[in-house]
Amino acid sequence: MEYTNTVLIVDDSQMVLKMLGFMIKKAGYNILSADNGEGALAFFDGRDIDLVITDLNMLGMDGSLLINEIRRKEYYLYIPVVLFVADSEAGQKEIKEKAGATMLFDKKDIKEKIISTIKKMLG
């Protein structure tokens, strides 16, 4: 099955970007990627982005600030955002709500859960 949805992946780890990019592309989705929040914002120029997957902890603009900036753009106000955190950070529900994320993952679980999550979120 061929998908036409576009997923933006944001992480400061090239290894994570490559791994997620490979998995998501193999599942049939178009991908965009950025290695920081500032770089990710450049994609929010009116193009169709159906889902954002971002790390919370990045240098410069972290995932929470990135989500806040995305939510300030009317065209992208309701775009689903998956936020992932390292090491089962305490208060995950608080992190998710404060950041405005749609869903929160522990980074160690992302390989096993991301494709099924994307399919559920994008239909």
Side-chain angles (χ1 to χ4, degrees):
M1 177 180 236
E2 194 65 30
Y3 297 95
T4 57
N5 295 102
T6 299
V7 177
L8 171 61
I9 310 162
V10 188
D11 196 308
D12 54 0
S13 164
Q14 289 298 315
M15 183 185 75
V16 172
L17 286 176
K18 287 179 183 177
M19 182 259 310
L20 287 177
F22 175 78
M23 291 173 61
I24 294 167
K25 191 171 186 174
K26 185 177 177 186
Y29 297 94
N30 299 315
I31 59 161
L32 300 170
S33 63
D35 61 5
N36 59 53
E38 293 89 351
L41 281 179
F43 289 114
F44 292 91
D45 58 2
R47 74 182 84 194
D48 288 331
I49 300 172
D50 301 291
L51 176 69
V52 177
I53 300 169
T54 184
D55 190 7
L56 174 63
N57 297 311
M58 298 182 287
L59 294 175
M61 180 183 290
D62 69 10
S64 182
L65 290 174
L66 172 61
I67 295 169
N68 287 334
E69 288 299 313
I70 293 169
R71 299 283 186 236
R72 294 178 66 189
K73 299 175 181 298
E74 188 174 344
Y75 184 73
Y76 300 102
L77 185 61
Y78 300 107
I79 190 171
V81 179
V82 176
L83 181 66
F84 55 94
V85 297
D87 302 324
S88 298
E89 293 179 31
Q92 287 191 1
K93 185 177 179 187
E94 270 183 48
I95 293 169
K96 177 180 160 261
E97 290 172 0
K98 183 178 177 189
T102 310
M103 182 173 282
L104 189 96
F105 270 111
D106 188 308
K107 201 168 193 173
K108 68 178 174 48
D109 297 330
I110 202 160
K111 281 172 48 175
E112 291 77 30
K113 297 180 180 178
I114 197 63
I115 299 303
S116 62
T117 299
I118 292 170
K119 288 178 180 180
K120 286 177 191 171
M121 294 180 94
L122 297 180

